[in-house]
Amino acid sequence: MTASSSTLKTHYEELFIDGNWIKPTSALDDVISPVTEAVVGKAPVGDLNDADRAIAAARRAFDRGSWPNEKRAVRADHMQRLLDSVIARKEEAIGLMQLEMGFTRMQCEMQFELGFTQITKFIELARKDPMKSLPLLQKNYPDGRRTLGGAVVTRDPIGLVVAITPYNSGFLLGLMKSVPAMAAGNTVVLKPSPFTPLQTMFIAELVAALELPPGVFNVVTGGLEVGQKLTTDPRVDMISFTGSDTVGAMVMAQAAPTLKKVHLELGGKSPLIIRHDADIELAVMAGLYGFVFQAGQGCSMTTRMLVDNRIRPTYAAALTEAVAALQVGDPYDSKTFMGPLIREVARARTEDFCRRALDEGAKLLLGGKRPVGLDKGFFFEPTIFDDVRNDSHLGQREVFGPIAAIIGFDRDEEAIQLANESDYGLGGAIISRDKATAFDMALRVRTGQIHINGGSGGFHPDMPFGGYKRSGLGREWGEEGFNEYSEIKAIGFPAG
Ligand code: NAD
């Protein structure tokens, strides 16, 4: 099992703060490969002092720098140059993603493609004048006075945006938060997961080459302590956070005393509804991607499979057969479909889900243990449970590991009800030959996104992404996502 990491920069000693590479006050930390458990890099660990320096720099750049008032086209041109360098250095980006996350190349390519699609969209939006004229207002007062008033609505940057990213998409989300934030005139402090700092240090390197005004973009690494500092400091105006719902709730509470804007992209337990008339092959593909992709480490994966009881045995058997044939192991082997989990703690949590599912009466069809022969790396077999109760632990909680929960239903109405009996509301999917019925059902499933028969084909640049309920607040992609990073300003004036 080898990572071709010789051409990658995997050793960083400095943080990017205030336009400079700065030695952190604390030590360097090892970056661990989830595939081999070996040390594959070094990165600085930021502390409170570094977080303070980054906040001070970003605050100064917003309050006294040129960036917020810079011409939109100039900011957009900078972001286009950043996108150009991302494309030019794609191999390094993919290499670091694979190294830190242990995903296959195809999975990293898909994250890259999504990032490219969205950043291109953000740059297009950043060039547009957001100002809109409102209808003229004519007033006749009792004293005979008459007025005619005009008004416009425009958008202002919010200020200092802190972006906090999870381990499963540090490069993608580091860019997908920083680019719209900067393009809209904000300044940014970006903090990655302590498991995957190198992808974000790489972003810092790309942004450093743009020579933006000092303090517009800053990177601080670190964990809980730094996260708490960034989300409580009164100088910060907005938090754009992606991670678990547990930490999301903490972030919201931490930000509350200073009333920051909080944008949360959190976890899910997304339903895949398979109707009685489904194309089984399509349903199996959706099911397989819904929990094996990235070893289940994706936020909107459809791990809760609601299957019409008339076809449930056929579907369960076909899914089991298809998944059993997949290669699990070294993600650098082009035949591998699924690599490891990120760390031992994630594998132990996945095992605990299996134990509890069996205790709660679910039927194990496949997997449920560590693969034989893969002694190094945090591997776990793709696992399928049938006869899962929707209200069980596995039916309700996000695993973030490769476990599918098959739950039966008898009527469409029941499928909708089960889909909505969840604390989450992020993604969803429906497989049915009857597209009109599927569309009616999609309208009633309470999730931020839902795809019928595989969706629109590729990443739709205008489709907003985000969740209802415990899956978050706000949206991340498209125009809605771009607009999260600005305040709305209305100006009224006498007309004529
Ligand atoms: P996590 O919640 O453990 O950590 C996310 C980030 O928060 C990390 O950078 C971490 O260091 C930081 N953090 C931890 N405690 C903090 C605190 N008190 N204050 C501020 N920051 C703090 O998530 P993870 O394990 O890295 O990622 C997996 C989770 O992310 C899953 O739940 C997944 O569904 C979710 N996710 C959601 C989306 C989405 O778009 N909705 C996308 C990817 C991942």
Side-chain angles (χ1 to χ4, degrees):
M1 217 172 279
T2 53
S4 163
S5 57
S6 53
T7 53
L8 297 176
K9 181 168 176 190
T10 55
H11 189 111
Y12 285 87
E13 295 200 352
E14 292 164 322
L15 297 169
F16 187 69
I17 297 175
D18 208 10
N20 290 303
W21 291 97
I22 291 180
K23 282 248 181 269
T25 19
S26 52
L28 299 187
D29 202 4
D30 293 338
V31 178
I32 307 290
S33 160
V35 183
T36 62
E37 302 181 32
V39 175
V40 288
K42 295 263 183 209
V45 186
D47 66 9
L48 291 180
N49 190 33
D50 302 311
D52 185 67
R53 284 197 284 184
I55 294 170
R59 190 72 258 168
R60 219 169 22 246
F62 188 81
D63 292 339
R64 301 209 287 275
S66 58
W67 189 252
N69 300 313
E70 187 52 276
K71 287 191 183 70
R72 281 189 309 278
V74 172
R75 290 197 300 248
D77 287 346
H78 280 301
M79 295 304 113
Q80 184 60 53
R81 282 170 51 221
L82 176 58
L83 180 58
D84 293 344
S85 67
V86 166
I87 295 163
R89 297 180 67 179
K90 175 178 173 180
E91 282 309 309
E92 287 163 85
I94 299 269
L96 290 173
M97 287 157 99
Q98 279 205 280
L99 189 72
E100 289 191 309
M101 303 191 292
F103 297 167
T104 65
R105 184 173 173 100
M106 181 267 278
Q107 291 158 1
C108 296
E109 291 251 8
M110 282 182 73
Q111 288 205 4
F112 193 92
E113 169 71 19
L114 171 59
F116 171 79
T117 307
Q118 282 305 321
I119 291 164
T120 304
K121 181 76 207 174
F122 291 144
I123 294 169
E124 176 197 318
L125 291 165
R127 293 189 188 283
K128 283 193 189 157
D129 184 351
M131 194 176 289
K132 284 187 202 140
S133 295
L134 300 185
L136 289 173
L137 181 70
Q138 196 176 14
K139 284 267 187 186
N140 297 315
Y141 290 92
D143 62 4
R145 246 179 344 113
R146 300 181 75 204
T147 60
L148 189 63
V152 294
V153 175
T154 188
R155 287 186 170 269
D156 252 353
I158 290 181
L160 194 176
V161 174
V162 159
I164 299 180
T165 54
Y167 77 78
N168 72 326
S169 40
F171 186 72
L172 169 73
L173 291 176
L175 286 170
M176 271 175 51
K177 291 180 186 298
S178 304
V179 169
M182 288 193 283
N186 302 282
T187 58
V188 171
V189 177
L190 172 61
K191 190 201 90 62
S193 161
F195 293 155
T196 56
L198 297 176
Q199 297 168 59
T200 301
M201 299 312 298
F202 181 58
I203 295 178
E205 210 174 290
L206 300 179
V207 177
L210 300 176
E211 298 189 343
L212 301 178
V216 168
F217 179 79
N218 311 270
V219 166
V220 191
T221 51
L224 180 63
E225 193 191 33
V226 169
Q228 281 171 335
K229 168 73 180 163
L230 296 176
T231 51
T232 50
D233 194 291
R235 292 168 293 177
V236 173
D237 299 299
M238 173 181 174
I239 313 292
S240 177
F241 172 85
T242 300
S244 59
D245 56 322
T246 309
V247 177
M250 289 162 71
V251 164
M252 199 168 169
Q254 289 159 197
T258 48
L259 288 172
K260 302 181 196 317
K261 173 169 180 173
V262 182
H263 174 201
L264 302 174
E265 294 288 342
L266 309 177
K269 189 82 195 178
S270 301
L272 164 63
I273 300 176
I274 301 176
R275 292 188 73 241
H276 66 92
D277 66 349
D279 172 338
I280 291 291
E281 215 173 298
L282 189 60
V284 166
M285 279 315 284
L288 187 151
Y289 273 87
F291 82 105
V292 187
F293 191 75
Q294 296 182 175
Q297 301 166 107
C299 53
S300 63
M301 298 187 64
T302 47
T303 54
R304 202 159 51 103
M305 302 175 186
L306 308 174
V307 188
D308 191 302
N309 282 322
R310 283 169 281 183
I311 59 159
R312 186 157 64 101
T314 313
Y315 170 75
L319 180 69
T320 304
E321 191 187 333
V323 175
L326 297 176
Q327 180 167 311
V328 176
D330 181 1
Y332 292 95
D333 179 339
S334 61
K335 294 190 288 306
T336 295
F337 195 86
M338 192 184 102
L341 290 162
I342 190 75
R343 289 290 182 273
E344 183 53 40
V345 63
R347 179 162 62 176
R349 195 184 55 228
T350 308
E351 281 172 325
D352 185 54
F353 266 93
C354 290
R355 269 190 297 277
R356 291 184 68 162
L358 289 170
D359 287 348
E360 290 185 301
K363 190 168 135 201
L364 181 66
L365 299 185
L366 186 74
K369 56 185 189 325
R370 299 172 183 211
V372 177
L374 290 171
D375 301 329
K376 281 282 176 200
F378 310 111
F379 293 95
F380 196 77
E381 290 182 346
T383 298
I384 303 174
F385 281 100
D386 194 4
D387 280 335
V388 176
R389 280 204 343 259
N390 194 56
D391 63 358
S392 66
H393 184 64
L394 180 59
Q396 285 296 307
R397 301 267 58 90
E398 181 185 48
V399 183
F400 226 58
I403 305 185
I406 301 180
I407 300 166
F409 70 85
D410 292 317
R411 290 167 296 106
D412 288 346
E413 198 55 34
E414 189 190 350
I416 295 168
Q417 199 181 324
L418 289 169
N420 291 338
E421 279 171 8
S422 169
D423 289 344
Y424 296 109
L426 190 54
I430 303 180
I431 309 291
S432 171
R433 286 198 169 86
D434 179 348
K435 297 185 195 91
T437 298
F439 190 79
D440 282 346
M441 290 173 77
L443 289 173
R444 294 182 55 203
V445 174
R446 294 190 53 73
T447 59
Q449 283 207 334
I450 185 154
H451 299 281
I452 298 168
N453 293 336
S456 49
F459 298 113
H460 197 306
D462 296 302
M463 218 168 153
F465 181 87
Y468 295 10
K469 303 189 265 181
R470 281 193 80 86
S471 292
L473 292 174
R475 291 296 178 269
E476 188 130 75
W477 311 350
E479 190 166 1
E480 288 83 355
F482 184 72
N483 286 343
E484 291 286 351
Y485 294 97
S486 52
E487 295 276 15
I488 297 170
K489 171 178 278 174
I491 306 174
F493 45 84

